[in-house]
Amino acid sequence: MSVSTVRNRISLTLYSLCALALTGAGLRYLFATEIMPYHLDAMALTWQDLSPGMQVMTLNFMKSAGVGMFTSGVTVSLMIVFAIRKGLATYASTMTVAIMLQTGLVGYFAYQVDKLTPANPPFAALFSVAGLAVIAYYSVTR
């Protein structure tokens, strides 16, 4: 594939940003030693208020979400490598679907947290990644 067209370069850059954001967020969740502050806000507790068993369980639930984000980011990264070799248009749909599934499902659960608890999940990051994927898709398919 030739990445010589401006639209292809824009698309690859945007998909790369999505992959980097998902991988980075996944690693942040995987290597955390406590759950995120907004998780504690949702429960109206501090980390010390949680019993050791609840600390382990909630941290592992969060790390499970991290695995999903990390895996999505690495998958999109691999697809970018294949897209450079085989043609970006061939992989654009798959990359966009992978990103939208990850951000959409996490967004759905974050929405529930936002509406049913006093917590404020980081929607801006999710919307940014999803938006970049849509722009990347339309950059290469138009």
Side-chain angles (χ1 to χ4, degrees), residues 88-110:
L88 183 55
T90 305
Y91 289 89
S93 296
T94 308
M95 287 189 284
T96 303
V97 168
I99 294 165
M100 297 306 286
L101 280 171
Q102 181 64 48
T103 58
L105 290 170
V106 170
Y108 171 73
F109 296 125

Side-chain angles (χ1 to χ4, degrees), residues 9-68:
R9 282 185 277 183
I10 289 169
S11 184
L12 282 171
T13 300
L14 296 177
Y15 281 127
S16 296
L17 288 172
C18 291
L20 183 64
L22 288 170
T23 304
L27 289 172
R28 170 72 177 101
Y29 275 44
L30 279 170
F31 289 105
T33 56
E34 294 181 6
I35 59 176
M36 297 296 130
Y38 66 90
H39 296 146
L40 293 166
D41 291 344
M43 295 185 281
L45 295 170
T46 66
W47 182 247
Q48 293 74 26
D49 291 335
L50 297 173
S51 69
M54 288 300 293
Q55 287 180 352
V56 168
M57 291 304 298
T58 56
L59 188 58
N60 283 340
F61 287 142
M62 185 185 78
K63 288 177 183 248
S64 296
V67 167

